[in-house]
Amino acid sequence: MAIVNREVLVVDDDKDIRIIARKILENSGMIVTEASNVDDAIAYARKKIPHIIITDLMMPEKTGFDLLEMRRLETDLSRIPVIVLTSKRDKESVFRAASLGATDYVIKPFSSTTLIQRVRKALKITSFG
């Protein structure tokens, strides 16, 4: 599945990370929407379901884990692949994210190549469904 014109929702409380991810993804032809918190991300996804979500884990109020849990409870959202993009390297976080349905896990700092490869892989996986 090509990533050109695919819609991605980037969720991170750090504006700089959102900007970097946006530039990388838009340079690959994707359409990017940003959210600085989980509530805004879920509200957006309910209105316009993105092809993929990229989320940080550690954010104020609700975390990326909360986003994964909320996503699982809604049929339309549960089909969206989610890539976790975080600085948390511990095995417990990786395991928890996977058990909550994360499609992939990318550690910050990240390269543009890695991010694009993981997005392509996640979209290809979902295209078989």
Side-chain angles (χ1 to χ4, degrees):
M1 174 182 282
I3 64 174
V4 174
N5 293 324
R6 299 294 171 192
E7 295 187 25
V8 60
L9 175 59
V10 177
V11 188
D12 200 309
D13 60 314
D14 184 333
K15 185 176 183 175
D16 292 336
I17 295 296
R18 291 195 317 267
I19 290 169
I20 291 166
R22 173 185 282 278
K23 286 182 181 180
I24 291 167
L25 297 165
E26 285 180 343
N27 284 341
S28 295
M30 298 190 80
I31 300 163
V32 180
T33 301
E34 299 176 26
S36 61
N37 62 65
V38 171
D39 288 333
D40 289 350
I42 293 293
Y44 175 82
R46 284 178 180 145
K47 285 189 269 182
K48 185 167 179 155
I49 296 175
H51 291 98
I52 191 165
I53 297 172
I54 299 173
T55 186
D56 188 15
L57 288 179
M58 304 314 299
M59 294 179 278
E61 297 177 30
K62 293 183 181 164
T63 68
F65 295 122
D66 295 320
L67 184 144
L68 288 165
E69 288 176 0
M70 294 167 74
R71 173 187 147 269
R72 284 193 338 174
L73 299 175
E74 297 189 38
T75 304
D76 289 341
L77 303 184
S78 67
R79 297 184 191 114
I80 304 169
V82 177
I83 296 175
V84 170
L85 182 64
T86 185
S87 58
K88 291 187 67 65
R89 300 172 181 268
D90 60 285
K91 290 179 184 178
E92 294 80 15
S93 294
V94 175
F95 179 77
R96 184 173 176 200
S99 69
L100 290 172
T103 307
D104 211 332
Y105 198 98
V106 178
I107 304 290
K108 295 176 189 175
F110 59 96
S111 72
S112 58
T113 303
T114 298
L115 184 60
I116 294 302
Q117 286 175 341
R118 302 295 178 89
V119 167
R120 285 183 191 279
K121 179 182 171 191
L123 290 173
K124 186 175 183 182
I125 289 169
T126 61
S127 69
F128 293 112

